[in-house]
Amino acid sequence: MARRAMQAVRSYQPTRVGLFSNEPIRRTGVHSAFEDHPTIEIVAGEIETLLGDTSLAYLILDVGSDPGWMETQGMVRRIRPDIRQALLGPSGAEEFILRAITAGARAYLDPSCGPQVVRQAMEVVIEGSIWAPRRLISKLLDGFMSQSVPMMEPAAPTFSPRERQVLDLIMNACSNREIADELGIEERTVKAYVASLMRKTGVDNRVSLSVRVTQGSLREQRSLAI
């Protein structure tokens, strides 16, 4: 038993998150937010090195006051389209932040955020969601809907009653923790249901799932849970 426990400890691999920042104080702050985190490990380095590390699926990109931050974000997306970005950027209006999220950022954090907020944002991103005020997510969905092109829809997948309950709560912008509290189940069970919903609908994040539902092919399935 003890040997199996030791093997489990050795085989455990935390989620490695890259960090690019030219600000020493900001680097220290981000490191301090995760130094005791049980499942996330921060790896700081130059942008070229981080993008070349295929073990990194997430990147905290500190663009600070760089006026060309959109170009930097676009460069990251071109080189590593698979990597999920969280931007530490300048303060801006809602439209400014929406541009960043539309361009691929899974989280946008302004300079006023503290280490705990950065920690929470990355936890949300790793869960497969987006860290942003709910009103911005609503605007983002509206934008997707207004730009959508009519096309032949695939057959709607079949959901279990519990999956329909989880889907309705996702559509209400509830987090995994809120869904678990509402349904009286464990958060890890919620994650399993969310993963199943994404797999069945062929998407990789909650925003895409919500768009898929709203566009119609899943509307009938969702209505069955109401």
Side-chain angles (χ1 to χ4, degrees):
M1 182 68 70
R3 181 177 299 177
R4 285 198 297 270
M6 289 296 292
Q7 289 173 342
V9 171
R10 293 194 192 99
S11 62
Y12 169 74
Q13 295 294 331
T15 299
R16 303 177 77 241
V17 177
L19 168 63
F20 171 69
S21 176
N22 288 322
E23 297 290 337
I25 295 178
R26 190 75 68 90
R27 285 200 305 269
T28 300
V30 173
H31 271 291
S32 68
F34 294 94
E35 60 185 2
D36 62 342
H37 200 286
T39 61
I40 297 177
E41 175 188 353
I42 298 297
V43 181
E46 294 300 319
I47 191 67
E48 295 82 4
T49 302
L50 294 173
L51 295 181
D53 187 343
T54 57
S55 71
L56 298 176
Y58 304 91
L59 174 67
I60 299 174
L61 184 61
D62 180 11
V63 293
S65 57
D66 179 9
W69 67 271
M70 286 290 290
E71 288 75 15
T72 302
Q73 184 192 7
M75 178 268 293
V76 171
R77 191 176 185 184
R78 287 193 302 273
I79 297 176
R80 286 288 305 276
D82 60 308
I83 206 163
R84 297 180 178 181
Q85 304 177 39
L87 259 65
L88 293 171
S91 299
E94 289 185 357
E95 290 74 15
F96 189 77
I97 300 171
L98 281 172
R99 286 177 61 197
I101 295 176
T102 303
R106 297 299 181 92
Y108 190 97
L109 301 162
D110 65 36
S112 65
C113 71
Q116 187 61 31
V117 174
V118 177
R119 177 177 173 133
Q120 292 173 351
M122 285 311 305
E123 290 172 342
V124 168
V125 170
I126 291 172
E127 283 183 356
S129 191
I130 289 177
W131 177 271
R134 293 182 180 182
R135 65 181 181 277
L136 292 187
I137 298 298
S138 178
K139 284 188 177 182
L140 188 62
L141 289 172
D142 290 342
F144 282 151
M145 290 300 299
S146 65
Q147 297 171 15
S148 63
V149 178
M151 59 184 297
M152 184 177 296
E153 296 175 346
T158 301
F159 299 141
S160 69
R162 181 65 89 184
E163 285 175 333
R164 293 169 187 164
Q165 290 178 321
V166 172
L167 180 58
D168 272 340
L169 292 170
I170 289 175
M171 293 297 293
N172 288 326
C174 293
S175 67
N176 284 354
R177 188 169 303 167
E178 290 170 334
I179 295 173
D181 291 342
E182 176 69 21
L183 299 180
I185 58 179
E186 294 187 6
E187 190 172 348
R188 63 181 179 180
T189 305
V190 175
K191 292 180 181 180
Y193 281 122
V194 173
S196 177
L197 288 167
M198 291 181 182
R199 183 173 63 254
K200 288 183 176 182
T201 54
V203 300
D204 65 355
N205 63 73
R206 294 181 184 222
V207 170
S208 297
L209 177 61
S210 299
V211 171
R212 179 101 157 79
V213 173
T214 309
Q215 282 179 334
S217 64
L218 303 183
R219 191 176 297 137
E220 181 179 355
Q221 285 283 340
R222 182 174 173 246
S223 67
L224 294 175
I226 297 175

